[in-house]
Structures are given as C-alpha cells and as structure tokens.
Amino acid sequence: MGMTIAEKIVARAAGVSEAHANDIHTVELDYLMSNDGTTHLTIDMYKALRRPRIADVSKLVWIVDHNVPCDSPKTAASQKKMRSFAKEHGITFYEGAGVCHQIMMENHVAPGQLIFGADSHTCAYGALGAFGTGVGCTDYLYGMVTGHSWVLVPETLRFNLTGHLTNGATARDLILTIIGQIGANGANYRAMEFAGPGMASLTMSDRIAICNLCVEAGAKTALMEVDDVTMDYLAAHGGRKPAACFTSDPDAKFEKVYDIDLSAIVPVVAKPHFVDNISPVSECSGVRIHEAFLGSCNNGRLEDLRLGASIIRGRKVAPTVRFLVVPASREVYLAAMKEGILDTFMEAGAIVMNPNCSVCWGSCQGVIGEGEVLISTGTRNFKGRAGHRDSFVYLGSASTVTASAVKGEICRPEDL
C-alpha cells in the first residue's frame, strides 16, 4: 500500500520501511523546540528526575519570544531560569530574535524531519515538508532525556489546490476559509496535506501562514510537498540540506480529499469568539475597532509587512485606533527597515514593536480592555485571548487589518 507524506516521515523517524495511519511507532526526533511559555516547567520536572540527562543537546532549541521584554518580576525569574539552564547545558538559545516558529524556519527546519515543539503552532514547519507537532511539557521532557518519543500515525486529509488567489485574497484568507469549511474540530489528530497545481503560485510566506493555522482545525500536523520554492528558501537561509523529500504515493490512502479553487477565495474574517466563525470581510464592514495588530508567527513576515505598507503609504492610522506592527523576527525587522517599510508605518502613526509574539499572545503588549475590539493577524480569537475576557477579537489578513486600522472599522483596502 502507498504512503502519505506524514506516513513516510514517521517511517523514516522510526527506522522502518512502512508506516500507516493508526500505527504506533517509536521515533527518533530531529529537533525539540521550546519557548518561554512553558520551558520553566520542563526545567523543574527535569531537576526532579532521579538521574537527569539530555540525550542530544544539539537537537534542543530554546527561544524566548512570548514576553519580550519581560513584563513582570515573575516573568523575569522564569526567563532567568531558562537562560541559565541553557547556558549551563550548551543548549542553542535565542532571545529577542523573534517568534519561535519563524526562527526555526529561518535557521533549523529541513524537509523530512520530525520535530516536537512545546507550542501548538509547530505545525508551521510543514511548509518546508517537515512533520512538526506541538506537545506538552511531559512529552517534551521525555524526548529531551531519551531523544525518542512515540507517535500514533495520523490519518491524512488532502487539499488539492488549483488556480491562483485573486480579488485581494491572501493565503491567510485561504486557510481561514478552509477552517470555516471543515470546522475547528474538522482535522482533529489528522495531518492536513496540501498539494496540486495551485501550490506553484504560493510563496514560502504563504505556505507558512497556511500550515501554521492548521492546528486551529485540530490538526496533528500540516504538510506540503518539497519543490523549487522550498529549495530556494533553504538556499537563502544557510543552504540547509533536506533529511528527505517526500511526496504521497499515487495509491496512498487519504481519509478525505478536498478540491479547492484558489480563485474562489475571498477576503474573510474570523469573528469572535471562534476561529471557524468565518464571514466575508464585506459582511463585517462598519464594525468599529479600537486596536489593530499586524504580526505573529502567522503573518509577521516581510511579504505581510510589504502588503500592509502598500496600503497605508500616504495615509494615517485612524485617531481612535492603536495600530501595532510587529515583525516576526530580527531578520524580517532588518529587511523591512532597509526597505523603508517601518518608516512608512511609523509616519502613518503605527507603533512598530520589537520582534516577539506581542498582541497574539495577549500578555505583554497591546492588551485590550473590556468591551474593546481588536482586528488581528494573530492565531486565535477565543474569549480573553488578547486581554479582557469581555473584549472581542476578529482575525483577518494583513491587508484587512491595515485597511481597518486606517478607516477605524473593519473594511477591505478598496473601501478606503
């Protein structure tokens, strides 16, 4: 029987010739990523072990990104613990360099790898053809001290893409539309695999945005075939070599196949308080906002900032709106600075922040108050995600967020 991309990656990691959905395999991990959201808990558990050890320190990557800079003495203590432990054990460590997933994509992830990350949006790594999945502290610790873990091979949902995005729609609109179609539980413990001729029109930034949000449909991982776009990205970021380049076999078994015409996608928003509560932007026009956020591991890349800058250039942020622009990494920040993009945002009245999770995390920057409305390129919009439990978060693309920041209400760029 043929195998899917997910099955082939698990088979490689398990050292077996075949793996199929619902098999359980012991696998060797290529990387284990953790951030300041939970690493302090992992350290405490590690120190409680009878004979603590790290199986392979070269596979650990720790990143401070959720509260940068620190927002309280408690956070400072937590990050100090993480910083000291990483130095003591020689763990690859980043602080102030950006959001964990963007850093991993720029510096570490390669096709064919199996990666555990102590963050749910680790599925973003599928844009490079890697099996990335989020785990909790206990599973992370086990992988850290043994170098191995176990995986229940997921069923695969296949999304065949045709055509290309038009009418102002972005990859963000595409994945939000798919989540709206299948539901927030529509891919529970499934692999979401994207393929088809429509893939050729999607940039790496587009692909990361798509894979990143698949967990919002419950996916175990997201995966894309390796092609020239993938290889060009790897060449531009250190020339990393693939562990393996997999495609699904013609006779691979998929749980379900969806055919998606990219030209039919329109700009959408996810309305409060669920990511699958999807409506066209046109149906939400006129909703007044108090804050707008352009950033996160989903939409904080250079292409997103370019798109936002092209809309706001020569305009001003509405006087009733706070507009936070947060590049996803230092690399993105520097590139945007050299292109004059950050100048454009600041001249328009936006607040440009250091690379970090920022408003998406809803903890240290741009926290919204009771009754306030946020339009965001962040990843989630459940109650209290960005501040007060009685606030409201709409999710949209970089273009929708920027246009809304200018008008002071949810709108499309053509509505300005």
Side-chain angles (χ1 to χ4, degrees), residues 166-233:
T166 58
N167 305 314
T170 67
R172 167 86 167 195
D173 298 303
L174 168 62
I175 188 58
L176 285 176
T177 298
I178 289 174
I179 294 170
Q181 178 182 349
I182 68 175
N185 295 309
N188 279 359
Y189 209 94
R190 308 299 196 272
M192 293 176 68
E193 179 181 310
F194 298 86
M199 287 292 300
S201 66
L202 299 176
T203 66
M204 184 51 62
S205 180
D206 292 333
R207 298 175 187 202
I208 298 171
I210 292 167
C211 290
N212 177 276
L213 275 191
C214 285
V215 71
E216 304 309 325
K220 177 69 173 176
T221 192
L223 289 157
M224 293 177 170
E225 297 178 353
V226 175
D227 59 11
D228 289 344
V229 173
T230 317
M231 299 309 294
D232 288 345
Y233 183 87

Side-chain angles (χ1 to χ4, degrees), residues 77-94:
S78 173
Q79 292 183 2
K80 180 181 178 181
K81 179 189 295 186
M82 182 178 177
R83 193 181 300 117
S84 298
F85 189 96
K87 183 178 181 180
E88 177 186 353
H89 295 277
I91 296 169
T92 300
F93 185 75
Y94 296 88

Side-chain angles (χ1 to χ4, degrees), residues 32 70 75 82 94 115 136 143 160 162 169-170 192-193 195 212 214 224 261 284 304 312 314 339 356:
L32 292 112
C70 287
T75 298
M82 182 178 177
Y94 296 88
I115 301 171
N160 288 327
T162 59
T170 67
M192 293 176 68
E193 179 181 310
N212 177 276
C214 285
M224 293 177 170
D261 178 4
C284 293
D304 304 305
I312 207 168
E339 291 187 19
N356 76 115

Side-chain angles (χ1 to χ4, degrees), residues 254-267:
F254 300 104
E255 182 176 297
K256 193 169 184 179
V257 176
Y258 296 86
D259 293 316
I260 308 290
D261 178 4
L262 298 182
S263 66
I265 303 300
V266 299

